[in-house]
Amino acid sequence: MDDQHPKTWHHLAANEVVTQWESHAERGLADRLISERRQRYGRNILTPARGQGPLVRFLLQFHQPLVYILLVATIVTLALEEYIEAAVIFGVVLINAVVGFVQEGKALKAIEALGKTLVAEATVIRDGRKVRIDSTEIVPGDLVLLQSGDKVPADLRLLRTRDLQIAEAAFTGESVPVEKASATLPEAVPLADRTNMAYASTLVTFGQGSGVVVATGDHTEVGRISQLMASVEELQTPLTRRIAQFSKILVVIILALAAINFAFGLVRGQEPVYLFMASVALAVAAIPEGLPAAVTIILAIGVGRMAQRRAIIRKLPAVETLGSTTVICSDKTGTLTQNQMTVTSIVAASEHFPVMGVGYDPEGFIQAPVGEQAMLDPSEVVQLSVNDLHRRVTLLECLRAGALCNDSQLVQKEHGWDIQGDPTEGALLVVAAKAGLKPEVLHEENPRVDSIPFESDHQYMATLHDQGLDRPRVVYAKGSVEAILQRCDSAMDAVARPHPLIAEEIHTQVSELAARGLRVLAFARKELAAETSKIEHEDLRSGLTFLGLQAMIDPPRPEALEAIRMCQSAGVRVKMITGDHALTASAIAGQLGLEQGTSSSTASLDLPRAITGQELHQYSEEELIDVADETAVFARVAPEQKLRLVRALQASGHVVAMTGDGVNDAPALKQADIGVAMGKAGTDVARESSDMVLTDDNFASIEAAVEEGRGVFDNLTKFIVWTLPTNGGEGLVIMAAVLLSTKLPISPVQILWVNMTTAIMLGMMLAFEPKERGIMDRPPRDPQSSILNKNLLKRIAFVSLLLLIGAFGLFEWMIEFRGASLAEAQTVTASVFVIGELFYLFNCRSLTRSMFQIGVFSNKAAIGGAIGMLVLQVLFAHAPPMNQLFGTAPLSWGVWLLIVAFGVALYTIVEIEKYLVGYILQGDSFKPIPHHHETPGSDHGRSSSQD
């Protein structure tokens, strides 16, 4: 063989695969070929991705337009020999870089995690000897032996199987272990249905088998996923895109204003040195030095809030990204469902018994038959009592058959109930326990004498039990409906009397259950002579009595239903992308309330249409964009198809969140705008590929994350709307001074004081602003929109003009009418900006409501920050060291009162503007929002179900 992956292997006969690899079905690979194969194909490990070194990653933290502005400001202030100011600005840049570097330090480890999934021991046969070796030493052509509990070490073409079942949920998304066989399959069979293959990193749950290695390391299916991940580009989040766009615009505005200012002064014949100083002051004034730090801190506070709501953020911008999410693509198994098979319906003696309770917890009960409930009270759930159950002998016998014809165990652990063995058998134990039948008691009363294990060729399992007291021994059988019915001659009626079997009636019942996406098992029994000690297939060829059906499914998480409803009401679409069967996926989607659609197979049930991976393969990239946008459920989807779907949705302009827990989800998690991994059931690969990890594996936490993300973006917007008027006002004051040929009303060092202290003491307090009411009642923010809309830009310009009037007017009043010194007048200018921003802070606590409507004391941090800022500003004006450092001078209390009066006026004018804008936008339908006080720190707009 020239290459490990010249073709797929499932469609080739087993002996042909062995021959191609020069191996042997009994003796394995010859020792003489081992070293040559290892040299040709390498060790059975995944090649680590070449990542950027720590130094490069740290330097890339400076590669942002806004940081460039701050670096320019550092150089400018150094040129002015203002070393303290330069150090402060560069300190902000450095802190931002360090925080970003630390937050992203755990990123790009997904390939390493994938590598760990292959490191284990394996049993192989080489030259006729059975040996235990490290899985990394396996080479193509090796004969590998598998048994229950083993992790498959490489991709295998199975040669022999005995009741072999392999859990592939983390790989294909299917919740039930796959029954394996060695038979040759058609070439067109999709990966999830290749039952004669075993893939690296999957887990053997039952039985035994052997197979020849056809791929190792990078050439395995999990290796192919690794390569897919390596090809995925890291995407910018909506926040980083908007900040970058905003920063570029800001750079152009600052340079243009400085150039215009300098050129205008030259035309008027002013001194170049003065103009240079004024232009530098203008540039420093226009730079929002506190913005990068504010973005980092507001996001960090959002991270803390998310941790309290059971979500760990691995990358800071992920908090805001969820708030902008328009589509959530969710895996089904373990994310929307419990990953615990549950019997939900039983048919015995032609009666349908619904079963309450989900998962492996035996808390639950069996309801009265559907017909009885309707006669009693259709709106009431009627639980069968112990006496009712004992009267229904056939129902109990069907449950007893499921519990006795069973090789699994139900065990109670610290975290809850769990199953040791096959999940399907576990579901049978749980439903029996709900009826009061304890498996250990049943086995004690009816000890097993012999059994016929499940085989794919026969599609059933049977066990022989001793009933004691010289009674006949009984055989219980369970399996597929077809396999059991063809062996039955009769059926039990409601009082356990045999009567003729009506197969058509049973098939109709099975079709109804299967149409709901349920997996249906049939149960039967047969009595044999008391001395019988062994059973054969021949004993069960006929003569069985049909007991009933048990239908099961991996049920949806109850909290996921409410979470999906909340997301959809917030304009966030939820799509299921799973490797499971289409009918099962469609049924679960219907129970969860995903967007309704029609399909030929499910239209009568009004279930969402499920598009399969085979159908997706037929669509071009352009066609897929529309299909992905219009469809809610995708089933039997391969890893690269999940990747295609995410990219198609992004091409439609969506901000895509992808949830998942398995290896197969990793490429799509990395490609999505935000990847959300499961913390409990998730693989290392999924977690390391994600931006956010849910500690409780609860889809409902995603809805909370969307709400939290919207709150974070709101607070960021509020900060920007609050901080820019300071920069605008300062710039306008400098330009007015040049225009009127007066002295500079505020110096560069004073500008830095105003910008930095107000950002820290006032602006940062907006990070603690509680979420506003109705935050989840509005549609997602358009991912293509800018951070600020036209109305907010107008408000920024309006407040900038107010600050210009107040600051420049009081500066001129101090100079011309009070005969004040330049230091006093500049102190007044700086104080006007500080006090104006202090009062404007309370305007910005809500961009549409007044602080009296959202609660004056609902953000105590803002009040504390305002008091702290007042103290600092008084020190700025009156403390001698501050006078020397910043060139300020003390002010009289009369002047202070005038400055505070300006702040009150500014607050009042902006509140009137907010009211009028709301009136104009809403026209005659506008109604003032009712006065409403909300408690500090409350989660506004949050439903009670999330508490």
Side-chain angles (χ1 to χ4, degrees):
M1 301 293 295
D2 294 329
D3 187 80
Q4 273 201 75
H5 235 308
K7 62 184 106 146
T8 53
W9 301 95
H10 61 277
H11 65 287
L12 299 179
N15 59 350
E16 184 180 349
V17 176
V18 172
T19 301
Q20 287 198 30
W21 285 108
E22 301 177 48
S23 188
H24 191 278
E26 301 290 342
R27 297 182 56 81
L29 201 62
D31 286 340
R32 60 182 174 80
L33 296 175
I34 302 297
S35 58
E36 183 267 333
R37 293 278 169 92
R38 187 173 296 120
Q39 185 175 1
R40 178 191 289 188
Y41 300 118
R43 301 180 70 205
N44 183 30
I45 58 175
L46 299 180
T47 304
R50 291 185 178 180
Q52 296 164 331
L55 179 61
V56 174
R57 286 198 292 113
F58 179 71
L59 292 176
L60 285 175
Q61 303 299 321
F62 297 89
H63 185 51
Q64 302 174 41
L66 197 57
V67 174
Y68 292 154
I69 299 174
L70 295 176
L71 291 175
V72 170
T74 303
I75 296 171
V76 168
T77 49
L78 280 173
L80 293 171
E81 298 184 355
E82 300 289 353
Y83 302 114
I84 295 177
E85 293 81 355
V88 170
I89 298 173
F90 186 72
V92 171
V93 175
L94 193 60
I95 290 171
N96 286 331
V98 170
V99 171
F101 178 76
V102 171
Q103 284 291 331
E104 296 181 7
K106 294 181 180 180
L108 304 177
K109 291 183 180 177
I111 305 301
E112 294 178 24
L114 277 166
K116 294 176 184 177
T117 64
L118 289 177
V119 178
E121 287 193 335
T123 302
V124 299
I125 296 179
R126 289 178 172 175
D127 251 348
R129 302 186 310 276
K130 184 163 73 171
V131 292
R132 190 80 172 162
I133 64 172
D134 192 295
S135 65
T136 61
E137 300 301 315
I138 285 177
V139 296
D142 260 327
L143 179 61
V144 176
L145 303 182
L146 300 174
Q147 63 181 0
S148 181
D150 286 348
K151 179 177 283 189
V152 180
D155 286 1
L156 311 177
R157 170 60 166 92
L158 296 172
L159 306 180
R160 296 181 180 83
T161 62
R162 180 174 175 80
D163 308 325
L164 182 65
Q165 296 180 22
I166 298 180
E168 298 181 341
F171 194 69
T172 65
E174 184 154 0
S175 50
V176 179
V178 179
E179 298 166 2
K180 295 294 184 177
S182 58
T184 305
L185 298 171
E187 187 171 3
V189 170
L191 184 142
D193 294 327
R194 294 174 189 172
T195 54
N196 60 9
M197 298 290 296
Y199 294 105
S201 83
T202 57
L203 183 68
V204 179
T205 60
F206 193 77
Q208 299 174 335
S210 65
V212 61
V213 175
V214 296
T216 58
D218 291 338
H219 298 277
T220 61
E221 288 296 330
V222 74
R224 191 165 57 85
I225 293 175
S226 166
Q227 294 166 8
L228 281 174
M229 290 171 61
S231 67
V232 174
E233 296 181 3
E234 294 283 348
L235 296 180
Q236 282 189 312
T237 69
L239 175 66
T240 54
R241 284 196 293 265
R242 290 169 184 153
I243 290 292
Q245 181 185 25
F246 171 72
S247 302
K248 290 175 183 176
I249 295 172
L250 204 56
V251 169
V252 173
I253 293 174
I254 291 171
L255 294 178
L257 288 176
I260 292 170
N261 187 62
F262 191 83
F264 185 81
L266 284 179
V267 170
R268 297 193 59 187
Q270 294 174 314
E271 290 290 330
V273 174
Y274 166 81
L275 293 174
F276 178 76
M277 294 294 293
S279 297
V280 166
L282 176 60
V284 173
I287 297 170
E289 290 88 354
L291 183 56
V295 170
T296 301
I297 292 172
I298 291 174
L299 289 176
I301 291 171
V303 167
R305 287 178 173 174
M306 286 306 304
Q308 294 175 358
R309 300 184 78 168
R310 299 169 296 279
I312 304 300
I313 302 298
R314 299 182 67 247
K315 300 176 183 177
L316 281 181
V319 182
E320 180 274 333
T321 308
L322 269 171
S324 302
T325 297
T326 58
V327 173
I328 299 175
C329 296
S330 177
D331 186 34
K332 176 184 74 68
T333 305
T335 307
L336 292 171
T337 65
Q338 310 234 359
N339 200 17
Q340 296 180 343
M341 294 299 291
T342 303
V343 174
T344 60
S345 186
I346 304 171
V347 178
S350 299
E351 291 184 311
H352 286 254
F353 298 88
V355 181
M356 299 299 291
V358 295
Y360 296 148
D361 191 335
E363 290 296 324
F365 58 87
I366 299 174
Q367 296 183 35
V370 174
E372 274 187 31
Q373 289 187 70
M375 288 188 296
L376 294 172
D377 186 348
S379 64
E380 184 178 343
V381 174
V382 182
Q383 177 180 352
L384 285 179
S385 66
V386 174
N387 290 334
D388 291 330
L389 286 169
H390 282 295
R391 284 199 299 269
R392 301 179 190 276
V393 182
T394 304
L395 170 62
L396 282 181
E397 192 67 2
C398 182
L399 293 170
R400 189 178 287 109
L404 289 172
C405 188
N406 200 307
D407 287 326
S408 298
Q409 287 183 303
L410 177 65
V411 294
Q412 188 170 17
K413 298 183 178 179
E414 290 184 7
H415 65 275
W417 292 87
D418 202 0
I419 292 298
Q420 291 181 351
D422 181 74
T424 299
E425 291 190 334
L428 301 177
L429 296 177
V430 173
V431 72
K434 290 176 181 178
L437 301 176
K438 297 182 178 180
E440 60 274 14
V441 175
L442 291 175
H443 281 286
E444 184 178 341
E445 295 174 346
N446 303 273
R448 182 184 295 190
V449 178
D450 193 24
S451 66
I452 297 176
F454 180 89
E455 294 179 2
S456 300
D457 293 342
H458 295 95
Q459 291 293 308
Y460 74 89
M461 173 186 176
T463 53
L464 175 66
H465 296 270
D466 185 0
Q467 299 187 91
L469 300 176
D470 296 325
R471 295 174 61 188
R473 287 185 168 172
V474 62
V475 175
Y476 289 113
K478 77 169 189 293
S480 69
V481 176
E482 293 77 10
I484 296 297
L485 280 183
Q486 70 182 4
R487 290 167 169 77
C488 292
D489 299 331
S490 62
M492 272 192 178
D493 65 9
V495 291
R497 293 177 304 194
H499 70 92
L501 179 73
I502 305 176
E504 294 78 9
E505 179 182 322
I506 295 172
H507 282 299
T508 299
Q509 295 166 344
V510 170
S511 297
E512 292 175 355
L513 294 169
R516 288 157 46 193
L518 299 173
R519 185 184 186 197
V520 184
L521 290 180
F523 298 84
R525 60 168 282 161
K526 180 179 183 179
E527 291 188 345
L528 299 176
E531 64 273 11
T532 305
S533 61
K534 189 174 180 61
I535 52 174
E536 304 287 350
H537 289 294
E538 188 64 30
D539 298 323
L540 304 180
R541 188 174 298 277
S542 62
L544 272 67
T545 300
F546 180 76
L547 299 175
L549 307 170
Q550 294 192 43
M552 63 191 69
I553 198 169
D554 180 12
R557 292 176 177 268
E559 61 274 18
L561 180 64
E562 175 64 14
I564 288 175
R565 187 193 66 78
M566 291 287 290
C567 285
Q568 292 177 343
S569 69
V572 180
R573 300 167 67 185
V574 180
K575 297 179 183 292
M576 178 192 293
I577 303 179
T578 178
D580 214 339
H581 290 281
L583 195 57
T584 302
S586 184
I588 292 292
Q591 294 178 38
L592 288 168
L594 292 186
E595 296 166 297
Q596 297 296 305
T598 58
S599 68
S600 58
S601 61
T602 61
S604 61
L605 297 173
D606 196 27
L607 295 178
R609 180 191 179 198
I611 291 183
T612 65
Q614 284 185 322
E615 294 176 86
L616 288 178
H617 186 69
Q618 301 171 3
Y619 294 116
S620 66
E621 297 301 325
E622 292 74 19
E623 293 171 331
L624 187 61
I625 292 174
D626 291 333
V627 171
D629 193 48
E630 296 168 0
T631 308
V633 185
F634 300 89
R636 285 318 221 193
V637 176
E640 62 270 21
Q641 291 174 326
K642 290 187 179 185
L643 197 58
R644 284 187 68 203
L645 285 169
V646 172
R647 285 173 172 163
L649 289 167
Q650 289 171 333
S652 298
H654 287 293
V655 176
V656 182
M658 171 73 190
T659 73
D661 56 5
V663 174
N664 59 325
D665 298 319
L669 286 173
K670 192 176 178 185
Q671 172 67 36
D673 294 277
I674 178 166
V676 184
M678 303 297 115
K680 288 183 178 178
T683 59
D684 287 343
V685 182
R687 286 192 289 269
E688 293 298 336
S689 303
S690 66
D691 303 288
M692 186 175 85
V693 179
L694 302 182
T695 59
D696 58 354
D697 289 12
N698 193 337
F699 185 85
S701 295
I702 300 173
E703 185 274 325
V706 171
E707 183 181 347
E708 199 65 52
R710 290 187 175 191
V712 167
F713 191 85
D714 276 2
N715 290 346
L716 279 171
T717 304
K718 291 171 185 176
F719 178 86
I720 293 171
V721 172
W722 171 84
T723 193
L724 289 187
T726 304
N727 304 107
E730 290 167 343
L732 290 172
V733 164
I734 300 299
M735 294 182 70
V738 173
L739 179 65
L740 300 174
S741 301
T742 67
K743 295 180 179 179
L744 291 180
I746 187 169
S747 68
V749 68
Q750 291 167 349
I751 289 172
L752 287 172
W753 164 266
V754 172
N755 291 354
M756 295 306 297
T757 56
T758 56
I760 295 170
M761 298 301 298
L762 299 178
M764 296 303 179
M765 300 307 107
L766 291 172
F768 301 96
E769 190 65 37
K771 295 180 291 294
E772 295 189 44
R773 288 177 290 119
I775 197 170
M776 290 299 285
D777 294 332
R778 64 193 191 208
R781 176 180 288 271
D782 181 359
Q784 304 302 322
S785 67
S786 60
I787 296 177
L788 304 174
N789 59 36
K790 291 181 180 179
N791 289 317
L792 293 181
L793 289 172
K794 290 177 182 177
R795 183 176 300 168
I796 290 169
F798 179 58
V799 177
S800 298
L801 287 172
L802 291 178
L803 288 171
L804 165 65
I805 293 169
F808 196 81
L810 284 178
F811 174 80
E812 287 295 314
W813 176 74
M814 289 290 291
I815 294 290
E816 297 295 332
F817 298 98
R818 292 287 297 264
S821 66
L822 180 62
E824 287 180 289
Q826 287 183 332
T827 305
V828 168
T829 303
S831 298
V832 166
F833 280 112
V834 169
I835 300 302
E837 285 291 274
L838 187 152
F839 279 91
Y840 182 52
L841 175 74
F842 294 95
N843 294 118
C844 292
R845 288 191 52 211
S846 173
L847 299 177
T848 57
R849 301 177 171 110
S850 77
M851 69 173 177
F852 299 103
Q853 291 170 314
I854 64 174
V856 176
F857 299 102
S858 60
N859 185 352
K860 293 180 180 178
I863 297 174
I867 295 172
M869 188 67 248
L870 280 173
V871 172
L872 283 178
Q873 193 60 24
V874 170
L875 291 175
F876 175 79
H878 295 274
M882 303 292 271
N883 297 152
Q884 293 179 0
L885 185 62
F886 291 99
T888 58
L891 302 177
S892 67
W893 291 112
V895 174
W896 276 115
L897 288 174
L898 194 61
I899 294 171
V900 171
F902 167 77
V904 173
L906 187 146
Y907 172 83
T908 305
I909 293 170
V910 173
E911 285 301 309
I912 294 172
E913 181 267 343
K914 277 201 292 188
Y915 186 93
L916 292 176
V917 167
Y919 187 87
I920 292 170
L921 288 177
Q922 300 187 35
D924 294 336
S925 64
F926 173 78
K927 291 183 178 63
I929 300 172
H931 184 75
H932 181 75
H933 288 283
E934 296 177 322
T935 57
S938 64
D939 283 338
H940 310 294
R942 186 180 176 194
S943 66
S944 60
S945 64
Q946 293 169 278
D947 292 336

